[in-house]
């Protein structure tokens, strides 16, 4: 059993050196976030599962190339993002499949929790309306908490590109989520593609 | 209306405010705009709307990793681990083909990683063939003249326009530079065995959905159709008739209906050998594509599900 205190980089080095358990431990630590990124990028659970498996195999084989210039999580996420983008390019998956709802057997929810879940579902659905590049930038910066510089390095684009994608994505989400309506004073602020984008 | 237009002309648009927030504007423009926003309730409200977007995104709960996906990742890890010697991690400073030659090592059990690589490679190639089979399947199902011999005979023999188009697309996929960043060397090494065509009926997500009634019909009228199989596929075809294996498999598939499936078949799913279990619940057919380890392990990997 792997030592829970072992650092990610140590696990990766150990794997590269032949430790048979190190890589599995590393994946188990981070698979939830890897899944979140994959699912939010490709918007299809089956495609996300395929992409995650692709990423796992890639990371397993490329472990020796890790140079500790970034965190292991960043390195893993970059591989997941690349696997997702590969699948999107190759399969031309369209972001039309909504994220799955919670399954049966969930505990009864309070009204607040239901409201939170409704909000989360609305935000997830609105995210799905964005172009992949904008969505991915927001997933990394606003959801996963990467800095613009880190996200730019992870995506292999300029920082200004990440800023621009985030800016466009946030403006569109503000419209899609009706936040301008909820701020009555904001009605005077024009948008470049105003009312027709607003969702019911 | 005129007042609205005048008001709009007086304020920066939402995208410009978002650019200000993102730090995209040059310093002079940013200073000027910030001064305007500070004294403008409309623009402050729009800025709050943008802030709310950030808050919403930051508060999103992470989607739970489904048990089926977790099981699949575990299976992949086990596969990778059991063949670690044959496919060692690549050292970035070392030549990509520095793997120890496989013939200098003793094979240990199944060869999952090479099989995974093979699956991935076959998936790309057999997708083209699967599309051809799909065209045949759909036509036959509609005409109501599906016969098992035709099902087998069509496999890979269709050279119609749909198959040709699909083949072109498949070639483009294989050449996609984005797909070859890591670990392709070992897959190239395995290409020698790719020329052996599969004897199992091939499906993908679209064709499987259409073929569910056909699979059930086969199971009830011509159970145990011998496939022109070879090697591993002999075992898989034989496994179709193993009732105990079928029942163990059915009982272990997460989320599957209880009871015996209406059909249990060995197939190639997107190039990967697999079993498909088809359930008929009051005429509503659902399908579960599982790994060939199903029936032999407690929690098989679920490759795909066709909902009722």
């Amino acid at each position: 059993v792997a030592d829970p205190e072992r650092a990610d980089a140590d696990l990766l080095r150990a794997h590269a050196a032949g430790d048979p358990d190190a890589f599995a431990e590393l994946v188990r630590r981070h698979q939830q976030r890897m899944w979140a990124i994959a699912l939010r990028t490709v918007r299809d659970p089956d495609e996300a599962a395929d992409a995650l498996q692709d990423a796992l195999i890639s990371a397993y084989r490329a472990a020796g190339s890790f140079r500790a210039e970034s965190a292991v999580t960043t390195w893993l996420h970059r591989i997941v993002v690349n696997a997702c983008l590969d699948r999107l390019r190759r399969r031309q998956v369209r972001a039309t499949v909504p994220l799955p709802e919670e399954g049966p057997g969930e505990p009864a929810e309070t009204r607040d929790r239901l409201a939170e879940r409704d909000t989360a579902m609305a935000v997830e659905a609105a995210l799905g309306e964005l172009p992949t590049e904008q969505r991915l930038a927001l997933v990394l910066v606003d959801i996963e908490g990467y800095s613009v510089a880190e996200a730019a390095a992870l995506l292999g684009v300029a920082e200004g590109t990440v800023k621009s994608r985030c800016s466009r994505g946030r403006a569109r989400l503000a419209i899609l989520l009706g936040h301008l309506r909820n701020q009555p004073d904001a009605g005077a602020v024009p948008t470049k593609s105003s009312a027709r984008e607003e969702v019911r | 209306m005129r007042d609205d237009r005048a008001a709009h002309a007086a304020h920066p648009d939402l995208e410009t405010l978002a650019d200000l927030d993102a730090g995209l504007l040059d310093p002079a423009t940013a200073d000027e705009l910030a001064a305007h926003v500070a004294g403008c309730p409309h623009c402050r409200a729009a800025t709050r709307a943008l802030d709310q977007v950030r808050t919403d995104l930051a508060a999103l709960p992470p989607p739970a990793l489904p048990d089926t996906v977790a099981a699949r990742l575990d299976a992949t890890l086990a596969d990778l681990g059991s063949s670690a010697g044959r496919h060692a991690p690549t050292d970035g400073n070392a030549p990509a083909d520095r793997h120890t030659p496989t013939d200098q090592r003793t094979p240990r059990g199944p060869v999952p990683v090479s099989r995974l690589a093979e699956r991935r490679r076959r998936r790309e190639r057999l997708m083209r063939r699967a599309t051809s089979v799909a065209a045949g399947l759909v036509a036959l199902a509609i005409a109501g003249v599906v016969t098992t011999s035709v099902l087998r005979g069509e496999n890979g023999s269709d050279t119609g326009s749909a198959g040709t188009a699909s083949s072109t697309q498949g070639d483009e996929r294989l050449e996609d530079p984005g797909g070859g960043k890591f670990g392709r060397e070992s897959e190239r090494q395995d290409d020698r065995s790719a020329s052996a065509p599969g004897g199992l009926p091939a499906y993908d997500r679209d064709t499987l959905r259409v073929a569910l009634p056909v699979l059930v019909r086969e199971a009830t009228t011509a159970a145990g159709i011998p496939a022109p199989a070879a090697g591993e596929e002999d075992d898989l075809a034989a496994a179709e008739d193993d009732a105990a294996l079928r029942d163990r498999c059915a009982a272990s598939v997460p989320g599957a209906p209880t009871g015996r499936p209406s059909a249990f078949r060995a197939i190639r799913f997107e190039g990967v050998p697999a079993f498909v279990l088809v359930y008929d619940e009051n005429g509503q057919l659902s399908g579960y594509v599982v790994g060939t380890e199903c029936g032999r392990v407690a929690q098989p990997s679920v490759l795909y599900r066709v909902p009722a």
Side-chain angles (χ1 to χ4, degrees):
Chain A
V1 178
D3 179 355
E5 299 302 318
R6 240 166 138 187
D8 289 346
D10 291 340
L11 284 173
L12 205 53
R13 273 192 292 272
H15 163 62
D19 182 333
D21 301 319
F23 188 75
E25 170 62 17
L26 187 65
V27 170
R28 288 189 187 105
R29 280 184 190 182
H30 301 294
Q31 62 185 11
Q32 290 284 351
R33 280 183 77 192
M34 292 161 71
W35 168 251
I37 290 173
L39 185 58
R40 285 180 171 135
T41 302
V42 301
R43 307 291 301 170
D44 178 299
D46 293 329
E47 290 287 347
D50 286 348
L52 203 48
Q53 183 171 350
D54 291 347
L56 208 77
I57 295 168
S58 293
Y60 183 95
R61 293 178 179 167
S65 66
F66 177 71
R67 288 289 172 264
E69 291 159 356
S70 61
V72 172
T73 48
T74 306
W75 178 78
L76 283 172
H77 292 173
R78 181 184 303 128
I79 293 173
V80 170
V81 166
N82 283 337
C84 290
L85 294 179
D86 282 348
R87 294 200 80 84
L88 286 170
R89 275 195 294 265
R90 282 188 276 170
R91 307 265 168 133
Q92 297 186 332
V93 172
R94 293 174 62 84
T96 54
V97 180
L99 290 173
E101 295 184 36
E102 306 265 344
E106 294 292 315
E109 294 177 289
T110 65
R111 189 174 295 274
D112 284 349
R113 274 201 62 196
L114 277 173
E116 283 174 11
R117 201 185 72 169
D118 287 348
T119 299
M121 287 177 63
V123 175
E124 293 279 13
L127 260 179
E129 296 290 317
L130 300 181
T132 300
E133 292 79 11
Q134 291 177 14
R135 183 170 66 249
L136 189 47
L138 289 178
V139 165
L140 294 175
V141 174
D142 285 353
I143 299 178
E144 292 298 328
Y146 280 109
S147 69
V148 168
E150 289 170 329
L154 196 153
L155 294 172
V157 299
E159 289 184 29
T161 303
V162 173
K163 288 180 181 177
S164 177
R165 289 173 181 176
C166 286
S167 169
R168 294 289 173 272
R170 289 178 195 131
R172 186 118 193 256
L173 286 183
I175 297 167
L176 291 169
L177 292 169
H179 288 338
L180 293 178
R181 275 195 311 239
N182 298 334
Q183 302 279 348
D185 284 339
V189 173
T191 63
K192 283 180 177 157
S193 47
S194 294
R196 61 189 161 79
E197 287 186 326
E198 205 148 351
V199 286
R200 301 150 302 278
Chain B
M1 184 66 96
R2 189 173 301 157
D3 288 346
D4 284 349
R5 278 200 298 272
H8 282 193
H11 301 288
D13 61 36
L14 182 66
E15 289 78 4
T16 304
L17 290 172
D19 286 351
L20 173 69
D21 179 57
L24 275 169
L25 303 181
D26 64 80
T29 307
D31 289 346
E32 184 182 344
L33 204 53
H36 169 85
V37 171
C40 174
H42 301 300
C43 290
R44 282 206 306 276
T47 303
R48 280 197 298 275
L50 292 168
D51 288 343
Q52 184 61 48
V53 169
R54 283 183 156 180
T55 304
D56 287 344
L57 291 172
L60 275 180
L65 181 70
D67 290 344
T68 50
V69 177
R72 184 173 164 191
L73 295 184
D74 284 345
T76 303
L77 287 168
D79 283 355
L80 288 166
S82 67
S83 61
R86 285 164 35 92
H87 294 268
T90 306
D91 186 327
N93 293 327
D97 58 353
R98 69 179 178 85
H99 302 299
T100 303
T102 54
D103 57 3
Q104 292 180 14
R105 290 182 175 269
T106 304
R108 291 175 292 173
V111 285
V113 169
S114 66
R115 212 173 80 184
L116 274 175
E118 185 180 334
R119 285 174 176 180
R120 288 166 53 75
R121 174 173 37 70
R122 283 186 183 175
R123 182 187 305 171
E124 300 288 346
R125 294 187 174 187
L126 292 179
M127 273 294 289
R128 293 171 252 165
R129 194 175 303 135
T131 306
S132 303
V133 173
L137 272 173
V138 171
L140 291 167
I142 291 172
V145 294
V146 176
T147 64
T148 54
S149 60
V150 171
L151 246 184
R152 302 290 186 186
E154 285 290 308
N155 193 357
S157 62
D158 190 325
T159 55
S161 57
T164 305
S166 177
S167 174
T168 303
Q169 187 183 17
D171 288 339
E172 286 170 353
R173 280 201 214 109
L174 285 171
E175 291 163 7
D176 183 349
K181 289 177 184 165
F182 301 107
R184 294 293 194 232
E185 184 60 29
S186 58
E187 295 180 29
R188 284 194 292 272
Q189 290 173 347
D190 287 339
D191 274 352
R192 292 186 298 274
S193 61
S195 58
L200 297 171
Y203 301 98
D204 63 17
R205 295 170 187 203
D206 296 327
T207 57
L208 183 65
R209 181 182 300 276
V210 176
L212 288 185
V214 179
L215 291 167
V216 172
R217 192 180 317 174
E218 282 185 356
T220 54
T221 60
I225 303 155
E232 175 190 31
E233 294 182 356
D234 276 333
D235 298 335
L236 294 178
E240 290 178 352
D241 298 327
D242 185 340
L245 178 79
R246 176 199 60 201
D247 292 345
R248 280 198 309 275
C249 176
S252 66
V253 177
T258 54
R260 183 165 294 173
S262 300
F264 177 72
R265 292 292 307 276
I267 64 169
R268 281 193 172 276
F269 182 72
E270 296 189 345
V272 181
F275 291 126
V276 59
L277 297 86
V278 186
Y279 292 89
D280 185 349
E281 294 179 297
N282 302 318
Q284 297 292 310
L285 297 183
S286 60
Y288 292 78
V289 181
V290 296
T292 54
E293 77 280 7
C294 194
R296 300 183 180 89
V297 300
Q299 194 166 25
S301 56
V302 178
L303 306 180
Y304 188 59
R305 184 169 67 88
V306 182

mmCIF file of all heavy atoms in Angstrom, chain A residues 138-163:
data_model
loop_
_atom_site.group_PDB
_atom_site.id
_atom_site.type_symbol
_atom_site.label_atom_id
_atom_site.label_comp_id
_atom_site.label_asym_id
_atom_site.label_seq_id
_atom_site.Cartn_x
_atom_site.Cartn_y
_atom_site.Cartn_z
ATOM 1 N N LEU A 138 -12.364 28.613 -18.868
ATOM 2 C CA LEU A 138 -13.099 28.865 -17.621
ATOM 3 C C LEU A 138 -13.003 27.676 -16.666
ATOM 4 O O LEU A 138 -12.930 27.856 -15.443
ATOM 5 C CB LEU A 138 -14.568 29.170 -17.935
ATOM 6 C CG LEU A 138 -14.826 30.517 -18.607
ATOM 7 C CD1 LEU A 138 -16.313 30.685 -18.922
ATOM 8 C CD2 LEU A 138 -14.359 31.663 -17.722
ATOM 9 N N VAL A 139 -13.007 26.471 -17.217
ATOM 10 C CA VAL A 139 -12.866 25.283 -16.353
ATOM 11 C C VAL A 139 -11.536 25.357 -15.600
ATOM 12 O O VAL A 139 -11.474 25.125 -14.397
ATOM 13 C CB VAL A 139 -12.959 23.983 -17.195
ATOM 14 C CG1 VAL A 139 -12.448 22.784 -16.404
ATOM 15 C CG2 VAL A 139 -14.392 23.746 -17.641
ATOM 16 N N LEU A 140 -10.500 25.712 -16.314
ATOM 17 C CA LEU A 140 -9.179 25.724 -15.680
ATOM 18 C C LEU A 140 -9.019 26.907 -14.720
ATOM 19 O O LEU A 140 -8.525 26.742 -13.600
ATOM 20 C CB LEU A 140 -8.082 25.768 -16.745
ATOM 21 C CG LEU A 140 -7.985 24.518 -17.631
ATOM 22 C CD1 LEU A 140 -6.941 24.713 -18.725
ATOM 23 C CD2 LEU A 140 -7.653 23.283 -16.808
ATOM 24 N N VAL A 141 -9.442 28.085 -15.140
ATOM 25 C CA VAL A 141 -9.173 29.292 -14.342
ATOM 26 C C VAL A 141 -10.217 29.483 -13.244
ATOM 27 O O VAL A 141 -9.882 29.630 -12.069
ATOM 28 C CB VAL A 141 -9.108 30.538 -15.252
ATOM 29 C CG1 VAL A 141 -8.968 31.803 -14.408
ATOM 30 C CG2 VAL A 141 -7.934 30.421 -16.226
ATOM 31 N N ASP A 142 -11.479 29.469 -13.611
ATOM 32 C CA ASP A 142 -12.533 29.822 -12.640
ATOM 33 C C ASP A 142 -13.021 28.622 -11.834
ATOM 34 O O ASP A 142 -13.523 28.787 -10.723
ATOM 35 C CB ASP A 142 -13.722 30.463 -13.356
ATOM 36 C CG ASP A 142 -13.412 31.890 -13.777
ATOM 37 O OD1 ASP A 142 -12.347 32.401 -13.404
ATOM 38 O OD2 ASP A 142 -14.234 32.490 -14.499
ATOM 39 N N ILE A 143 -12.914 27.429 -12.375
ATOM 40 C CA ILE A 143 -13.393 26.261 -11.631
ATOM 41 C C ILE A 143 -12.240 25.559 -10.924
ATOM 42 O O ILE A 143 -12.297 25.295 -9.722
ATOM 43 C CB ILE A 143 -14.136 25.273 -12.556
ATOM 44 C CG1 ILE A 143 -15.351 25.956 -13.177
ATOM 45 C CG2 ILE A 143 -14.548 24.023 -11.773
ATOM 46 C CD1 ILE A 143 -16.142 25.090 -14.146
ATOM 47 N N GLU A 144 -11.183 25.262 -11.673
ATOM 48 C CA GLU A 144 -10.063 24.524 -11.077
ATOM 49 C C GLU A 144 -9.082 25.433 -10.347
ATOM 50 O O GLU A 144 -8.228 24.955 -9.613
ATOM 51 C CB GLU A 144 -9.331 23.719 -12.153
ATOM 52 C CG GLU A 144 -10.151 22.568 -12.728
ATOM 53 C CD GLU A 144 -10.522 21.520 -11.678
ATOM 54 O OE1 GLU A 144 -9.735 21.320 -10.742
ATOM 55 O OE2 GLU A 144 -11.612 20.930 -11.789
ATOM 56 N N GLY A 145 -9.172 26.730 -10.557
ATOM 57 C CA GLY A 145 -8.360 27.657 -9.791
ATOM 58 C C GLY A 145 -6.950 27.868 -10.297
ATOM 59 O O GLY A 145 -6.089 28.388 -9.584
ATOM 60 N N TYR A 146 -6.693 27.477 -11.530
ATOM 61 C CA TYR A 146 -5.373 27.750 -12.093
ATOM 62 C C TYR A 146 -5.238 29.249 -12.366
ATOM 63 O O TYR A 146 -6.220 29.928 -12.704
ATOM 64 C CB TYR A 146 -5.178 26.994 -13.415
ATOM 65 C CG TYR A 146 -4.813 25.539 -13.233
ATOM 66 C CD1 TYR A 146 -5.712 24.528 -13.530
ATOM 67 C CD2 TYR A 146 -3.563 25.179 -12.751
ATOM 68 C CE1 TYR A 146 -5.374 23.191 -13.364
ATOM 69 C CE2 TYR A 146 -3.217 23.854 -12.584
ATOM 70 C CZ TYR A 146 -4.122 22.869 -12.888
ATOM 71 O OH TYR A 146 -3.778 21.560 -12.708
ATOM 72 N N SER A 147 -4.010 29.756 -12.243
ATOM 73 C CA SER A 147 -3.772 31.134 -12.648
ATOM 74 C C SER A 147 -3.811 31.205 -14.170
ATOM 75 O O SER A 147 -3.718 30.176 -14.859
ATOM 76 C CB SER A 147 -2.390 31.598 -12.158
ATOM 77 O OG SER A 147 -1.376 30.909 -12.866
ATOM 78 N N VAL A 148 -3.951 32.422 -14.674
ATOM 79 C CA VAL A 148 -3.960 32.589 -16.128
ATOM 80 C C VAL A 148 -2.658 32.055 -16.726
ATOM 81 O O VAL A 148 -2.658 31.377 -17.761
ATOM 82 C CB VAL A 148 -4.166 34.073 -16.493
ATOM 83 C CG1 VAL A 148 -3.880 34.311 -17.976
ATOM 84 C CG2 VAL A 148 -5.584 34.514 -16.155
ATOM 85 N N ALA A 149 -1.548 32.345 -16.054
ATOM 86 C CA ALA A 149 -0.248 31.884 -16.577
ATOM 87 C C ALA A 149 -0.187 30.357 -16.602
ATOM 88 O O ALA A 149 0.287 29.756 -17.580
ATOM 89 C CB ALA A 149 0.883 32.446 -15.716
ATOM 90 N N GLU A 150 -0.660 29.738 -15.526
ATOM 91 C CA GLU A 150 -0.643 28.265 -15.484
ATOM 92 C C GLU A 150 -1.546 27.683 -16.561
ATOM 93 O O GLU A 150 -1.184 26.707 -17.241
ATOM 94 C CB GLU A 150 -1.097 27.782 -14.106
ATOM 95 C CG GLU A 150 -0.092 28.033 -12.995
ATOM 96 C CD GLU A 150 -0.682 27.753 -11.624
ATOM 97 O OE1 GLU A 150 -1.918 27.935 -11.443
ATOM 98 O OE2 GLU A 150 0.080 27.373 -10.722
ATOM 99 N N ALA A 151 -2.729 28.268 -16.695
ATOM 100 C CA ALA A 151 -3.665 27.760 -17.706
ATOM 101 C C ALA A 151 -3.083 27.931 -19.104
ATOM 102 O O ALA A 151 -3.231 27.060 -19.964
ATOM 103 C CB ALA A 151 -5.007 28.475 -17.591
ATOM 104 N N ALA A 152 -2.413 29.067 -19.330
ATOM 105 C CA ALA A 152 -1.812 29.304 -20.641
ATOM 106 C C ALA A 152 -0.737 28.262 -20.932
ATOM 107 O O ALA A 152 -0.668 27.710 -22.042
ATOM 108 C CB ALA A 152 -1.222 30.716 -20.691
ATOM 109 N N ALA A 153 0.079 27.975 -19.923
ATOM 110 C CA ALA A 153 1.121 26.956 -20.110
ATOM 111 C C ALA A 153 0.493 25.586 -20.337
ATOM 112 O O ALA A 153 0.955 24.799 -21.171
ATOM 113 C CB ALA A 153 2.039 26.929 -18.886
ATOM 114 N N LEU A 154 -0.560 25.322 -19.584
ATOM 115 C CA LEU A 154 -1.206 24.012 -19.697
ATOM 116 C C LEU A 154 -1.826 23.825 -21.079
ATOM 117 O O LEU A 154 -1.765 22.743 -21.658
ATOM 118 C CB LEU A 154 -2.265 23.915 -18.597
ATOM 119 C CG LEU A 154 -2.835 22.549 -18.230
ATOM 120 C CD1 LEU A 154 -3.309 22.559 -16.777
ATOM 121 C CD2 LEU A 154 -3.958 22.157 -19.142
ATOM 122 N N LEU A 155 -2.399 24.905 -21.611
ATOM 123 C CA LEU A 155 -3.063 24.813 -22.914
ATOM 124 C C LEU A 155 -2.115 25.071 -24.073
ATOM 125 O O LEU A 155 -2.469 24.854 -25.225
ATOM 126 C CB LEU A 155 -4.221 25.832 -22.978
ATOM 127 C CG LEU A 155 -5.389 25.577 -22.030
ATOM 128 C CD1 LEU A 155 -6.361 26.755 -22.043
ATOM 129 C CD2 LEU A 155 -6.121 24.297 -22.414
ATOM 130 N N GLY A 156 -0.928 25.583 -23.761
ATOM 131 C CA GLY A 156 0.017 25.883 -24.832
ATOM 132 C C GLY A 156 -0.383 27.094 -25.649
ATOM 133 O O GLY A 156 -0.156 27.138 -26.861
ATOM 134 N N VAL A 157 -0.993 28.078 -25.010
ATOM 135 C CA VAL A 157 -1.368 29.312 -25.711
ATOM 136 C C VAL A 157 -0.852 30.501 -24.904
ATOM 137 O O VAL A 157 -0.378 30.347 -23.774
ATOM 138 C CB VAL A 157 -2.902 29.430 -25.887
ATOM 139 C CG1 VAL A 157 -3.432 28.275 -26.722
ATOM 140 C CG2 VAL A 157 -3.609 29.470 -24.535
ATOM 141 N N ALA A 158 -0.963 31.704 -25.489
ATOM 142 C CA ALA A 158 -0.502 32.900 -24.789
ATOM 143 C C ALA A 158 -1.455 33.262 -23.653
ATOM 144 O O ALA A 158 -2.641 32.919 -23.693
ATOM 145 C CB ALA A 158 -0.422 34.060 -25.779
ATOM 146 N N GLU A 159 -0.914 33.946 -22.649
ATOM 147 C CA GLU A 159 -1.748 34.349 -21.520
ATOM 148 C C GLU A 159 -2.908 35.232 -21.987
ATOM 149 O O GLU A 159 -4.032 35.126 -21.485
ATOM 150 C CB GLU A 159 -0.918 35.095 -20.480
ATOM 151 C CG GLU A 159 0.049 34.194 -19.737
ATOM 152 C CD GLU A 159 0.800 34.944 -18.643
ATOM 153 O OE1 GLU A 159 0.238 35.926 -18.098
ATOM 154 O OE2 GLU A 159 1.946 34.560 -18.343
ATOM 155 N N GLY A 160 -2.623 36.125 -22.946
ATOM 156 C CA GLY A 160 -3.683 36.993 -23.454
ATOM 157 C C GLY A 160 -4.817 36.189 -24.078
ATOM 158 O O GLY A 160 -5.996 36.585 -23.997
ATOM 159 N N THR A 161 -4.472 35.070 -24.669
ATOM 160 C CA THR A 161 -5.502 34.218 -25.272
ATOM 161 C C THR A 161 -6.409 33.645 -24.194
ATOM 162 O O THR A 161 -7.640 33.600 -24.343
ATOM 163 C CB THR A 161 -4.841 33.076 -26.069
ATOM 164 O OG1 THR A 161 -3.970 33.653 -27.046
ATOM 165 C CG2 THR A 161 -5.864 32.209 -26.753
ATOM 166 N N VAL A 162 -5.790 33.220 -23.094
ATOM 167 C CA VAL A 162 -6.601 32.684 -21.990
ATOM 168 C C VAL A 162 -7.493 33.778 -21.414
ATOM 169 O O VAL A 162 -8.682 33.570 -21.163
ATOM 170 C CB VAL A 162 -5.696 32.092 -20.890
ATOM 171 C CG1 VAL A 162 -6.517 31.695 -19.666
ATOM 172 C CG2 VAL A 162 -4.935 30.888 -21.427
ATOM 173 N N LYS A 163 -6.907 34.963 -21.220
ATOM 174 C CA LYS A 163 -7.708 36.073 -20.687
ATOM 175 C C LYS A 163 -8.890 36.373 -21.600
ATOM 176 O O LYS A 163 -10.013 36.598 -21.138
ATOM 177 C CB LYS A 163 -6.837 37.326 -20.562
ATOM 178 C CG LYS A 163 -5.827 37.280 -19.438
ATOM 179 C CD LYS A 163 -5.033 38.590 -19.432
ATOM 180 C CE LYS A 163 -3.976 38.598 -18.334
ATOM 181 N NZ LYS A 163 -3.153 39.835 -18.384
#
